[in-house]
Amino acid sequence: MIEEIKALKKERRATILAHNYQLPEVQDVADLVGDSLELSRAAARLDSEVIIFCGVDFMAETAAILSPHKCVVIPEKGAWCPMAHMITPDQLADLKALNPGAAVVCYVNSTAEIKAKSDICCTSANGVQVVNSLAQEEVIFVPDRNLAAYVARHTDKKIIPWNGYCYVHDHFTPAEVKAARALHPGAEVLVHPECRPEVIDEADFVYSTAGMGKHALASQAREFIIGTEVGMIYRLRKENPEKEFYPLSDNAVCQNMKKTNLEKVLKALQTLEPRVTVPEEVAIKARRAIERMLAVKI
Ligand code: 13P
Ligand code: SF4
């Protein structure tokens, strides 16, 4: 199957993008494995006609918004991010009406409609820089309450959060961090900013998934406790075979990220279905918010 995928990828002039949480075998056939920001940047600059996006709905949608003339295919149509659907356009409209002077920042884990109604997007890698780049002193931040709290700690601006969350990261507890440290006293603890503030307080470092990758490569430490979705461990071990990586919890599994497998990737290449499209009237506005984010230097 791997050989078939490689041959068809060439024939179709396709690029396979995969998020860091994808299954190991899917990561291995991808041209680029990365975090949301890296994958968005890649989608914007790629010149291949077909993008096979192995991730969840909002990621493939972002690629389709940035590259409306490319064929963006998501191998599993049912792979969606629950947090991205925790705020509706009407709820955002109400929040804006309550806070008329505030800028609107939406985490890229959001629907295209929400992006279209926001001033700018951010990812877990650039939330603080995006918020600090704005002229307004008040900022509505949707949908993740935990990333909003993290950003609020690192900016002087007033952050008005929405109450969304990621069920995978919100589930970690400070007790789990303490227990992991007791088991591995020499390990550095890296957590994702989608974790609760009290978990972040127990960690040594807070990073997006790509940030974790860079930190692990550069650190002098030999052991790491990783507070994010377990798929990240595969990449970390592959890139650092001499170091040890322990998941903060074996239960930290994003079910939707695991729905994509090699069979579905091959089928996506064969059929170029299911294709991801965003209506142009929504895409125009959403593109503005994403491109504005991509212009922010980090
Ligand atoms: P990253 O952008 O850090 O990879 O995070 C995406 C995500 O969905 C985290 O749950
Ligand atoms: Fe969404 Fe959480 Fe899965 Fe990331 S890990 S895609 S935020 S549900």
Side-chain angles (χ1 to χ4, degrees):
M1 213 181 305
I2 292 168
E3 290 315 310
E4 263 186 278
I5 288 172
K6 282 186 183 159
L8 205 50
K9 191 171 74 168
K10 219 168 168 184
E11 197 180 301
R12 294 273 197 212
R13 296 182 12 90
T15 301
I16 301 180
L17 301 181
H19 187 264
N20 286 318
Y21 299 159
Q22 289 290 293
L23 292 171
E25 59 272 29
V26 174
Q27 294 193 25
D28 286 343
V29 295
D31 297 290
L32 176 73
V33 182
D35 73 352
S36 307
L37 185 59
E38 289 174 329
L39 297 175
S40 299
R41 287 199 194 285
R45 68 158 194 262
L46 279 175
D47 58 5
S48 59
E49 277 143 40
V50 176
I51 298 175
I52 306 293
F53 208 114
C54 305
V56 289
D57 55 355
F58 75 83
M59 297 179 175
E61 247 180 25
T62 302
I65 290 165
L66 287 170
S67 309
H69 304 298
K70 286 176 200 157
C71 172
V72 178
V73 182
I74 186 162
E76 166 54 59
K77 204 170 172 43
W80 64 296
C81 167
M83 176 165 63
H85 298 267
M86 284 184 182
I87 186 165
T88 65
D90 283 350
Q91 288 170 322
L92 179 54
D94 290 347
L95 200 54
K96 282 171 140 182
L98 282 173
N99 302 280
V104 180
V105 175
C106 73
Y107 189 23
V108 73
N109 297 41
S110 55
T111 62
E113 286 82 4
I114 294 296
K115 290 183 176 77
K117 293 185 183 326
S118 300
D119 295 306
I120 187 166
C121 287
C122 77
T123 73
S124 62
N126 62 10
V128 175
Q129 291 90 341
V130 162
V131 164
N132 285 338
S133 75
L134 298 168
Q136 293 90 330
E137 287 308 312
E138 292 194 359
V139 177
I140 293 169
F141 193 104
V142 300
D144 186 11
R145 64 182 181 213
N146 291 331
L147 184 60
Y150 176 74
V151 170
R153 285 177 165 190
H154 297 275
T155 180
D156 293 332
K157 296 185 192 280
K158 180 183 171 200
I159 302 293
I160 302 155
W162 186 248
N163 197 21
Y165 61 91
C166 162
Y167 73 96
V168 178
H169 291 87
D170 197 63
H171 211 258
F172 292 127
T173 62
E176 276 175 325
V177 180
K178 286 187 187 125
R181 271 198 203 277
L183 268 179
H184 310 289
E188 289 184 340
V189 178
L190 278 49
V191 303
H192 196 275
E194 286 177 16
C195 295
R196 290 174 177 232
E198 58 268 31
V199 169
I200 286 178
D201 287 341
E202 294 293 329
D204 298 316
F205 301 97
V206 184
Y207 287 119
S208 78
T209 58
M212 289 180 183
K214 287 186 193 114
H215 179 94
L217 282 170
S219 171
Q220 296 299 311
R222 302 199 53 80
E223 292 181 286
F224 303 84
I225 294 158
I226 302 299
T228 193
E229 209 272 348
V230 293
M232 188 65 209
I233 300 286
Y234 174 69
R235 174 172 179 183
L236 291 170
R237 287 186 180 146
K238 190 170 161 182
E239 290 178 351
N240 305 274
E242 75 293 357
K243 298 179 179 174
E244 297 290 339
F245 297 92
Y246 313 109
L248 179 53
S249 165
D250 289 324
N251 298 326
V253 179
C254 176
Q255 299 296 342
N256 285 285
M257 281 283 182
K258 308 306 180 203
K259 287 180 178 169
T260 304
N261 58 27
L262 286 184
E263 240 162 31
K264 291 176 190 174
V265 173
L266 179 58
K267 193 152 176 246
L269 278 163
Q270 285 164 340
T271 62
L272 297 186
E273 293 285 348
R275 188 158 171 189
V276 180
T277 54
V278 177
E280 192 48 22
E281 67 275 15
V282 176
I284 285 178
K285 294 181 188 157
R287 195 176 301 130
R288 225 170 25 213
I290 301 167
E291 284 177 348
R292 204 172 158 195
M293 166 187 85
L294 294 176
V296 173
K297 298 264 173 297
I298 58 165

